[in-house]
Amino acid sequence: MHTPITRFLSQTGLLALLLLCNARAAESVPQIPVERFFDDPAIIQVRISPDGTHLAYLAPMNGRIGIALMDLITGKVEPLVRAADENIDFLAWKGNDHLIYEADIGGNEAAAYQSINLKTRRITRLLESFGENNWTRQEGQWGGLVSWWQTNPKKLVVYGSREKNSWTGGMYEVDVATGKRTTARDYTYENDRILQWIFDGDARIRVRTRITHDAAIIEARLGDSDRFTQLFTRRRDMHYSELDHATILADNDTLLFVDYAQHDRGALVAWNLRTGKQEQEIFVPPTGEITGLVLTNDQTRLLGVRYEDEKSRVHWIDPEMKSIQAGLDGAFPDTINTIVDMTDDRKKLVVAAHSDIETAVYFIFDRTRAQPLLMSLGSARPNLDAKALAHMESVQITARDGLVLPSYLTKPVGKGPYPFIILPHGGPYGPRDSWGYDPEVQFLANRGYAVLQVNYRGSGGYGKKFLEAGRLEWGKKMQDDLTDSVKWAIAQGIADPARVAICGASYGGYAALAGVAFTPELYCCAVNYVGAVDMTMLGDRDWGGDEIANEVFYKIWIHPDMEELRRRSPINHVENIRVPTFHAYGENDPRVKIRQWKRLKAELDKYHKPYEYLRESDEGHGFSNANARVEFYKQMEQFLAKYMKK
């Protein structure tokens, strides 16, 4: 039986294009140029206007990421915003006439928000947050976005200054057309620290999280009262103080958030903001954790809940959306098909289909016609051949203390044992590796390396106990998990014990240096990309003056004893390194500041250790410019080939 979707796809041949081919050449696969993995994608963040007349998306323009606009009535596509010296990394519709977009200049993580009027093409600067290198470069009113105000097409709510070059802070409503700020009607300054504000549809603060040194106090204004009433308390923590995925529906009385009080994996619950009582436990993920909510554009109803275990999934509450999802999954059984945006009437949907060997392919599903139409917008990386890529498989690895580590293994063509790379993710607390297309993994597999991504203890997505198993274990059991995983791969005949490398970025860079410093017998080389090498300097960044955040980060999660941090820091054990290392850092990095690399370089020179390095002057914590990114991976490729192709 053919559905309208499959009829359309069969007629256009698109179904044959999208169904992923599993056949791979038995003898070899072609070597894909580095640029095809790490150049800027052709299309990113596709967003449809609420009325369904226009489509906006990020796309490469003049060597930077800009905004393209498609008229869905005429089919005309035009460049809307051409970035001059920055990459735009976020866009969203505000009503049908304005787009809001965010950019970060030079990698210093100082977000600048601007709006553009589609009718006049006028660009208005809305706010600019402070980063490490722009204290004297302020071009607009400083601040941070605290509420998107989904039910209002004309305004945002920000915290920051009232006027340009003013240092007085407050809460303001911002007109997206003019940038004008007016004081939020119920905001008053308080000495208590507020970690989180949650606004209702009238931009009234209804719920807040107030923090002390040892507690997070969740308070709400019940009904029409201006007084805050305590709902409950939580331990002051980096991960469980804020209410996850919190939102207030358009009725202004229903608060939704993910609560970990009763379930290790969390549960989506609904609280009544008139009674101050929990009314309903809506959804508990069968495995994994909740990653997001799907609401109607007007915030009146919850449509579904996204969650992730081995793969990304969605639990639809709305029957119509469940039926649409079933149709998409039936048409594209080999991809994860995500509805990423929709019009107010839900008649036009933006769909992204992806897999482990297929980058995102975007579609518009048009249900306004007698026979629904599925129109392809193109692939994020149209020049990548899926047949030349490697499948990612889920594996379970048992650590020495019995903890099971959910992991992903990607093997190249041929039989093992392979030259092998363990690739610890960054974070470390909260992030995780996921199933799907990963350019770095596919690049390495295409070069003949088997790649293992381990969700070590402390990773997110596997419940509160798994995350908390990483407390105070940075450099200890978290590092042991990586060591045990390498030994597992060798025992399984996957890894050639003479050709094992450890590579990673941020915390992964720390883990790479810790690997060759603490277990030098395991590895033949290492790659450290913007890695923290001195744990005593982890607080050496701009915390916005939040000394409590710094204190919590060290005392609860890292370690309260500075001498212990020195013992766990690879920079103090450089003499133990036996193998060549490659390092890459950005001058503007606000998280791992360049002085960490300067100190590490001095130690490497002191002990006459062989190393190579790349230092980028206009990059931050990871290279956002395509040229810098490609250059890094070209040097990484040469480095690995030199020391692993024995």
Side-chain angles (χ1 to χ4, degrees):
M1 178 179 178
H2 288 285
T3 66
I5 296 176
T6 57
R7 275 198 299 271
F8 170 76
L9 291 174
S10 297
Q11 291 168 2
T12 62
L14 192 55
L15 181 61
L17 174 67
L18 256 197
L19 291 180
L20 302 178
C21 177
N22 294 328
R24 303 176 64 201
E27 65 283 356
S28 65
V29 294
Q31 190 169 99
I32 300 170
V34 177
E35 290 82 358
R36 293 192 186 177
F37 291 106
F38 300 108
D39 265 349
D40 292 324
I43 181 171
I44 327 168
Q45 288 190 35
V46 182
R47 299 291 181 261
I48 194 165
S49 62
D51 63 4
T53 60
H54 289 86
L55 203 72
Y57 56 91
L58 301 182
M61 296 178 189
N62 303 325
R64 297 286 184 177
I65 296 294
I67 302 175
L69 183 71
M70 175 186 288
D71 188 318
L72 292 176
I73 307 300
T74 66
K76 179 184 176 182
V77 178
E78 61 175 309
L80 184 66
V81 179
R82 298 177 186 269
D85 58 356
E86 58 196 14
N87 283 316
I88 297 172
D89 52 25
F90 168 83
L91 84 160
W93 288 93
K94 194 64 173 171
N96 294 303
D97 297 330
H98 286 86
L99 279 165
I100 309 294
Y101 59 96
E102 175 190 358
D104 171 28
I105 299 175
N108 60 15
E109 300 183 16
Y113 284 88
Q114 299 183 112
S115 69
I116 182 168
N117 185 310
L118 265 62
K119 294 179 178 178
T120 65
R121 297 300 197 260
R122 178 186 176 186
I123 293 175
T124 302
R125 199 171 190 89
L126 302 178
L127 65 92
E128 180 178 345
S129 62
F130 284 124
E132 182 65 18
N133 300 305
N134 74 332
W135 289 94
T136 61
R137 193 190 54 79
Q138 187 180 359
E139 299 174 12
Q141 293 143 290
W142 69 268
L145 183 65
V146 294
S147 176
W148 192 254
W149 202 349
Q150 287 89 339
T151 57
N152 189 321
K154 297 181 179 181
K155 290 188 177 183
L156 306 170
V157 181
V158 305
Y159 182 85
S161 65
R162 176 67 181 268
E163 304 293 343
K164 183 177 179 180
N165 297 322
S166 167
W167 299 96
T168 303
M171 191 86 72
Y172 302 99
E173 297 178 7
V174 179
D175 188 303
V176 300
T178 65
K180 182 179 179 181
R181 298 188 176 192
T182 55
T183 303
R185 65 185 180 92
D186 67 348
Y187 174 77
T188 55
Y189 176 78
E190 298 183 44
N191 290 324
D192 296 319
R193 290 186 178 275
I194 305 300
L195 181 68
Q196 180 183 31
W197 294 283
I198 304 171
F199 294 78
D200 65 16
D202 297 325
R204 179 173 176 240
I205 300 172
R206 293 296 300 282
V207 180
R208 69 183 185 185
T209 301
R210 182 167 56 84
I211 57 173
T212 65
H213 278 275
D214 58 0
I217 303 166
I218 289 79
E219 303 171 324
R221 284 174 164 144
L222 302 182
D224 299 322
S225 173
D226 286 333
R227 182 175 61 88
F228 281 99
T229 300
Q230 179 175 312
L231 299 181
F232 51 87
T233 63
R234 293 284 185 265
R235 181 179 62 192
R236 176 71 171 99
D237 200 324
M238 229 172 61
H239 290 280
Y240 304 108
S241 298
E242 292 190 17
L243 302 184
D244 284 350
H245 306 293
T247 189
I248 296 174
L249 295 184
D251 64 7
N252 285 350
D253 287 330
T254 304
L255 169 69
L256 304 177
F257 66 95
V258 177
D259 190 8
Y260 289 86
Q262 302 299 323
H263 300 275
D264 180 63
R265 295 186 303 277
L268 179 63
V269 298
W271 278 62
N272 187 309
L273 292 181
R274 289 205 166 268
T275 65
K277 303 293 183 183
Q278 180 177 321
E279 285 193 335
Q280 186 182 3
E281 185 176 272
I282 298 172
F283 176 70
V284 180
T287 53
E289 289 189 42
I290 294 169
T291 57
L293 310 183
V294 186
L295 302 166
T296 56
N297 288 356
D298 61 5
Q299 300 286 106
T300 57
R301 288 198 299 124
L302 174 71
L303 298 175
V305 185
R306 300 193 190 281
Y307 67 102
E308 183 179 11
D309 45 27
E310 178 189 352
K311 297 181 180 180
S312 297
R313 308 183 192 278
V314 61
H315 169 76
W316 289 112
I317 295 169
D318 181 81
E320 183 180 43
M321 297 300 295
K322 184 176 182 180
S323 177
I324 292 170
Q325 185 74 58
L328 292 169
D329 293 344
F332 308 129
D334 298 322
T335 54
I336 291 176
N337 309 301
T338 304
I339 298 170
V340 297
D341 203 9
M342 64 186 77
T343 55
D344 284 346
D345 61 7
R346 290 185 284 155
K347 295 298 183 183
K348 291 181 181 178
L349 312 172
V350 179
V351 180
H354 81 279
S355 74
D356 53 345
I357 59 171
E358 182 72 60
T359 60
V361 180
Y362 291 94
F363 302 91
I364 294 179
F365 184 30
D366 187 349
R367 301 167 59 232
T368 63
R369 303 166 181 261
Q371 284 196 341
L373 184 68
L374 195 63
M375 300 177 292
S376 175
L377 299 170
S379 169
R381 295 194 178 276
N383 295 325
L384 274 182
D385 182 3
K387 295 189 292 295
L389 302 181
H391 284 291
M392 179 184 288
E393 59 181 292
S394 298
V395 294
Q396 304 288 314
I397 300 171
T398 303
R400 65 189 68 180
D401 62 357
L403 184 66
V404 176
L405 310 173
S407 306
Y408 297 97
L409 175 66
T410 304
K411 294 185 291 188
V413 166
K415 294 183 179 180
Y418 309 96
F420 178 84
I421 294 174
I422 187 167
L423 195 67
H425 64 72
Y429 301 112
R432 56 163 287 178
D433 281 316
S434 299
W435 185 89
Y437 172 80
D438 184 312
E440 187 173 41
V441 170
Q442 291 297 338
F443 164 66
L444 293 171
N446 184 253
R447 297 310 191 255
Y449 304 109
V451 182
L452 181 64
Q453 298 167 279
V454 179
N455 283 311
Y456 46 80
R457 71 193 68 210
S459 300
Y462 298 98
K464 189 174 181 180
K465 290 179 182 177
F466 191 87
L467 179 66
E468 292 191 330
R471 282 182 185 271
L472 306 182
E473 296 298 340
W474 184 318
K476 290 296 186 179
K477 290 182 179 179
M478 290 164 63
Q479 194 70 29
D480 291 343
D481 289 347
L482 302 176
T483 300
D484 295 346
S485 298
V486 170
K487 293 179 177 179
W488 169 87
I490 293 171
Q492 295 292 315
I494 299 165
D496 178 349
R499 295 186 293 170
V500 176
I502 181 167
C503 308
S506 192
Y507 171 82
Y510 164 88
L513 265 292
V516 293
F518 302 149
T519 52
E521 71 283 356
L522 274 184
Y523 303 105
C524 67
C525 61
V527 176
N528 156 36
Y529 182 21
V530 298
V533 295
D534 186 345
M535 294 180 68
T536 67
M537 297 175 69
L538 292 175
D540 185 22
R541 61 165 296 187
D542 177 17
W543 289 89
D546 190 349
E547 297 175 1
I548 296 180
N550 202 354
E551 181 181 333
V552 168
F553 183 56
Y554 268 110
K555 288 189 175 180
I556 296 183
W557 286 93
I558 310 304
H559 204 282
D561 182 73
M562 294 300 283
E563 187 55 41
E564 181 62 24
L565 295 179
R566 292 186 185 94
R567 284 193 290 268
R568 299 185 191 187
S569 298
I571 198 167
N572 298 319
H573 304 278
V574 169
E575 69 273 20
N576 296 334
I577 298 175
R578 306 174 188 171
V579 298
T581 54
F582 173 49
H583 311 267
Y585 285 89
E587 295 275 359
N588 297 338
D589 193 336
R591 295 172 181 265
V592 177
K593 295 185 179 179
I594 195 64
R595 55 178 162 264
Q596 289 220 30
W597 162 242
K598 293 177 181 178
R599 290 190 57 208
L600 175 60
K601 184 178 184 300
E603 288 296 302
L604 291 166
D605 290 336
K606 174 182 176 181
Y607 290 103
H608 307 290
K609 301 298 180 180
Y611 68 93
E612 299 174 19
Y613 75 97
L614 174 64
R615 182 170 163 177
E616 288 286 352
S617 61
D618 200 30
E619 296 292 340
H621 199 60
F623 299 165
S624 62
N625 182 276
N627 291 334
R629 201 163 54 240
V630 168
E631 179 60 27
F632 165 68
Y633 282 105
K634 282 183 175 180
Q635 291 194 29
M636 177 180 177
E637 177 182 17
Q638 294 169 2
F639 175 83
L640 292 174
K642 187 186 305 183
Y643 298 108
M644 293 188 71
K645 299 286 187 175
K646 299 178 181 178

